Amino acid sequence: MVLKTYNPYIVAAAATIGGMLFGFDVSSVSAFVDNPTYREFFNYPDDIQQGGITSAMAGGSFVGSLISGRISDILGRRYAIQCGAIIWIIGSIVQCTVQDTAQLIIGRFISGIAIGICSSQVPVYIAELSPKKIRGRLVGLFQWAITWGIMIMFFISYGCSFMTGAKSFRIPWGLQIVPGVLLLSALVFFPESPRWLATKDRWDEATNVIAHIQGGGDMDHPDVLLEMQEIREVVRIDRLSKDVSVFDLFSRGSRLRTFVGASAQMWQQLTGINVMMYYVVYTFAMAGYEGNAGLISSSIQYVVNVIMTVPAILFIDKWGRRPLLLTGSSLMAVWLFLVGGIMGQYGHYVDSLNGNSGIRWVVPNKAAAMSIIAFNYLFVGTFAPTWGPGTWIYVSEIFPLKQRAIANGFCASINWTFNFLLAFCVPPGFKNIQWRVYIIFAIFCVIMTFHVFFMFPETKGKTLEEVDLIWEENIAPWKRGTIEVSDVEVHRDLRSRVEKDKTPRREDPSAFHELADVSSSNSSGTSTPTPFTDDPLEGNSGAVDRSSIDSASRLIE
């Protein structure tokens, strides 16, 4: 029997290696797009061909994210991520043995499938394992892993760029196998999601996981009993409904949060961040920094990305999700308007730059060029603690248990759809409309600010089951809402009784009878016991009837 590690920080840190895969892929391209050896080996790809190479990963990620939900619901969150790790290893092997452009595109597409699976299911896995007070911090580690992957692979690629021949890019692409092997191996020592275990009637295992994470191994800890009560009730209700498909995400009662989740992933791409990452060498070349100078200047951006993600990890559970997203999009709009404006004012058109026809705008004014670079750094430094981790955290929290895996896969597919479109379209954009590309993304940032303000409710500090109530109550997102159980106060009653040792032990579930009758006795003065059963489809599953919670729960301003 393999010993399991339940420390949520260790589990999250290992699982987020799945984010590192994405980061490795980003800079494995950006470091080489202007490299002479790379360009010669692949017969000097034009903007369309380079767009196809870059976007192949996003195309595979789209496919991977769509199938990830079904894989996760059948095999479990942990095994789904391990499947992603295996696919990643295969894709890396194809890339490092590359012979032509077609093989590179195929290898990147295969790796993309792995990234699609991991990017959608790692946040779900962490969210379902994490205590609510630190859930944002732990899911935020996923984005931090992405930034580390980008930076590490960039410096590896930069070092290998001094080699001659195809080995200068084959070695970095081969080293991508390492994080895949680490992810595959590490997950053996970590538990499965307790919420997934509950859906498979593996209640003892689910309780054991929750107990180790929430109560130091004590299955009778108040927090453990309360959370298991909530999970039981959610599972009971979910089983009364039909199996979930992607189409159910657009049914009445679900379509709004589906729209919000999908929009969040779309807006993350439309901030322009991956344009900055994939084609950062182009940006710095337009500002007059080429060759090693351009690569070194670009590397600073990746360091900024890593460092500035840390504040979000430390404080997002104090600051909240909405303030981060609103602040981030507002500031990024400012930096993008400034970059585009300075480029337009101080730059001029050229037919090509050092034989690269994809770059047709240069800024010879050194002061203006330095300003462009500074605002690029500020843009990345703003994205890193806001929309970087904020999107993955938020989307992993807003869906009910029965929809969570499929919904996160669907929303991630939206992210990868726009990643694909932007990776493919931005090179022609730089070629044809030059600096105006930045103005377009700045406008997107303005629009997303208003969208977040009017449509995105706060989820900070709430259990995943409480987040469901936020959507059911349909409170205006811009109002400060807190969940209170008034009158019957079912949750507080349960907690206080457990703390006073008046709540029965797990071995005596029959004494939970009266809990389901709190609301009825409150309103009529009488109650009728409901038999306890471990079957979530029968009785009240040892949990408070959801109608009693809903009738008593209110979101107040």
Side-chain angles (χ1 to χ4, degrees):
M1 181 176 178
V2 179
L3 290 175
K4 300 292 184 184
T5 299
Y6 295 93
N7 184 295
Y9 286 98
I10 296 176
V11 173
T16 53
I17 295 175
M20 191 175 289
L21 306 184
F22 179 22
F24 267 52
D25 180 86
V26 169
S27 52
S28 70
V29 170
S30 63
F32 294 113
V33 291
D34 202 36
N35 182 284
T37 303
Y38 168 89
R39 290 175 56 78
E40 180 182 357
F41 185 89
F42 293 105
N43 198 26
Y44 299 96
D46 57 25
D47 53 304
I48 300 296
Q49 291 172 324
Q50 184 57 54
I53 293 171
T54 305
S55 62
M57 182 276 295
S61 298
F62 173 80
V63 174
S65 58
L66 283 182
I67 65 175
S68 66
R70 187 60 62 192
I71 295 173
S72 181
D73 283 339
I74 295 173
L75 300 180
R77 316 309 191 212
R78 192 164 57 106
Y79 286 132
I81 298 169
Q82 286 182 309
C83 287
I86 293 171
I87 296 171
W88 171 264
I89 293 170
I90 294 171
S92 299
I93 292 172
V94 174
Q95 288 181 70
C96 72
T97 58
V98 65
Q99 299 296 321
D100 52 32
T101 302
Q103 184 177 343
L104 178 58
I105 291 175
I106 292 171
R108 285 180 56 76
F109 185 88
I110 295 172
S111 294
I113 295 174
I115 294 173
I117 294 172
C118 292
S119 66
S120 57
Q121 297 310 310
V122 167
V124 171
Y125 177 62
I126 297 173
E128 291 185 346
L129 275 167
S130 303
K132 66 179 181 180
K133 293 181 180 179
I134 59 172
R135 187 177 62 241
R137 178 182 302 174
L138 297 184
V139 179
L141 289 173
F142 177 77
Q143 175 64 24
W144 200 37
I146 294 176
T147 66
W148 274 102
I150 293 172
M151 185 180 72
I152 291 170
M153 178 51 69
F154 184 87
F155 282 116
I156 290 174
S157 300
Y158 174 70
C160 292
S161 68
F162 293 99
M163 298 179 179
T164 58
K167 61 179 177 288
S168 64
F169 47 81
R170 280 185 177 148
I171 290 176
W173 294 344
L175 288 174
Q176 292 180 126
I177 296 172
V178 175
V181 172
L182 290 176
L183 179 62
L184 179 65
S185 304
L187 285 173
V188 173
F189 301 98
F190 300 124
E192 181 54 84
S193 160
R195 287 167 171 84
W196 180 84
L197 291 169
T199 65
K200 303 301 180 183
D201 287 330
R202 295 160 65 175
W203 291 102
D204 288 340
E205 293 176 68
T207 305
N208 183 58
V209 174
I210 292 289
H212 278 88
I213 292 174
Q214 298 273 45
D218 180 8
M219 292 189 180
D220 297 310
H221 190 282
D223 289 338
V224 176
L225 289 175
L226 183 59
E227 188 153 340
M228 287 306 300
Q229 286 287 93
E230 293 175 340
I231 293 173
R232 282 181 180 276
E233 181 61 13
V234 169
V235 171
R236 183 185 71 82
I237 293 173
D238 288 350
R239 288 192 175 176
L240 294 175
S241 62
K242 61 181 180 179
D243 291 338
V244 177
S245 69
V246 171
F247 299 105
D248 294 310
L249 302 180
F250 299 93
S251 62
R252 186 177 180 180
S254 296
R255 65 173 67 101
L256 179 58
R257 68 177 88 185
T258 300
F259 174 67
V260 168
S263 298
Q265 293 285 18
M266 175 190 73
W267 288 131
Q268 189 195 54
Q269 287 300 313
L270 292 181
T271 61
I273 184 62
N274 279 336
V275 176
M276 295 289 197
M277 294 299 178
Y278 283 132
Y279 299 110
V280 62
V281 175
Y282 281 13
T283 303
F284 282 83
M286 286 188 277
Y289 289 82
E290 303 172 71
N292 286 335
L295 289 174
I296 293 173
S297 299
S298 302
S299 69
I300 296 174
Q301 180 166 291
Y302 298 131
V303 175
V304 170
N305 196 21
V306 171
I307 294 174
M308 290 304 296
T309 304
V310 174
I313 296 173
L314 296 177
F315 301 114
I316 193 168
D317 289 307
K318 294 182 179 179
W319 294 340
R321 289 33 162 176
R322 274 173 59 86
L324 278 183
L325 298 178
L326 290 168
T327 302
S329 55
S330 300
L331 289 176
M332 284 188 290
V334 173
W335 310 137
L336 288 167
F337 275 126
L338 287 170
V339 170
I342 293 172
M343 274 194 171
Q345 180 66 30
Y346 294 97
H348 63 82
Y349 178 86
V350 293
D351 290 329
S352 65
L353 183 64
N354 294 334
N356 188 346
S357 61
I359 302 177
R360 293 191 172 182
W361 196 265
V362 294
V363 181
N365 184 297
K366 289 299 180 183
M370 291 292 290
S371 298
I372 290 170
I373 291 173
F375 290 131
N376 266 272
Y377 293 156
L378 286 171
F379 174 86
V380 173
T382 301
F383 175 87
T386 58
W387 279 84
T391 301
W392 300 108
I393 294 169
Y394 192 76
V395 175
S396 72
E397 296 173 327
I398 64 175
F399 292 100
L401 177 60
K402 66 179 179 180
Q403 295 180 348
R404 193 167 296 136
I406 288 178
N408 272 266
F410 173 77
C411 292
S413 75
I414 300 299
N415 185 299
W416 295 115
T417 298
F418 280 87
N419 188 307
F420 174 87
L421 293 173
L422 293 175
F424 193 81
C425 296
V426 165
F430 276 137
K431 182 177 180 179
N432 296 313
I433 61 174
Q434 298 90 39
W435 56 272
R436 297 172 187 85
V437 169
Y438 296 98
I439 302 300
I440 292 174
F441 285 115
I443 294 171
F444 284 143
C445 286
V446 172
I447 297 172
M448 72 181 71
T449 301
F450 285 100
H451 189 191
V452 170
F453 182 81
F454 288 108
M455 297 291 291
F456 288 47
E458 182 58 75
T459 60
K460 178 192 72 172
K462 300 173 177 64
T463 67
L464 297 177
E465 289 68 35
E466 288 170 341
V467 172
D468 278 350
L469 294 178
I470 295 176
W471 292 94
E472 291 170 11
E473 289 287 342
N474 200 28
I475 190 173
W478 59 88
K479 293 183 178 180
R480 291 188 177 182
T482 58
I483 294 179
E484 290 189 359
V485 183
S486 57
D487 300 324
V488 297
E489 296 190 30
V490 179
H491 289 77
R492 293 179 183 175
D493 179 77
L494 174 62
R495 183 181 295 278
S496 63
R497 291 171 62 180
V498 171
E499 290 173 348
K500 293 177 182 178
D501 205 28
K502 293 180 180 179
T503 298
R505 298 297 187 189
R506 295 173 61 254
E507 294 79 3
D508 184 21
S510 61
F512 277 102
H513 289 167
E514 62 188 308
L515 286 176
D517 307 305
V518 177
S519 62
S520 60
S521 63
N522 184 71
S523 59
S524 63
T526 61
S527 62
T528 303
T530 302
F532 179 93
T533 172
D534 270 336
D535 186 352
L537 287 172
E538 299 180 19
N540 78 325
S541 311
V544 180
D545 182 65
R546 182 59 172 265
S547 62
S548 68
I549 299 177
D550 289 350
S551 64
S553 300
R554 293 291 181 267
L555 290 171
I556 64 172
E557 183 175 348

